[in-house]
Amino acid sequence: MMRAQALLAAGAAAVTVLVAGAVAQTTRQQTAKDLRPVSSFQNIGDQQARSIALFEEAGKVLQHARCVNCHPATERPLQGDAMRPHQPLVVRGADGHGAAGMTCNACHHAANFDAARVPGHPQWHLAPASMAWEGRTLGEICAQIKDPNRNGGKDMAALLHHMAEDSLVGWGWSPGPGREPAPGTQAAFGALLQAWADAGAHCPPS
């Protein structure tokens, strides 16, 4: 009887350890998918350091597959969480909407087609080649998005509006099945960038 009780106790302890481990792993995964709120950076007294820390947090979105896939280093978009070259073979084209006869909207329509796992949005297209992020450091991406010569002529107000309110950017948080959403929410992302700008829009080192 005592042996049976000991075995039961050992089994219960093992189950407790397994459950605790699973909960901890889930918590770590959830934290990785979240964005820290702006308030959590208020204790950084140095304004430049706070600005950089805010941008690094927003960088979880900027360097996520949902963003990088449409900011490729080549003329070919990427796809999936693994950021593989787009299949079938398509290219940027003259205006980012694909080449003649193989435009983006030939397959990507106004909304996600979940049955075939094809993403969609009315404005589906690639970012300008001047805004390629693939393979770039976060500091290099920061310099790019601040530069009107490379960001489509946007000043800071227009840039923040684009990041926080543009519905094509917002697609990154509603990408459909088979694709991991960008971390946090678009509102949280926009708030981090607004606070980054308010603190001087400093960039991390390249």
Side-chain angles (χ1 to χ4, degrees), residues 8-25:
L8 287 172
V15 169
T16 299
V17 170
L18 287 172
V19 170
V23 169
Q25 181 177 5

Side-chain angles (χ1 to χ4, degrees), residues 74-77 79 85-92 99 102:
T74 70
E75 293 299 293
R76 188 177 182 182
Q79 61 184 176
H86 193 288
Q87 291 291 347
L89 173 60
V90 294
V91 295
R92 182 189 309 279
M102 187 63 91

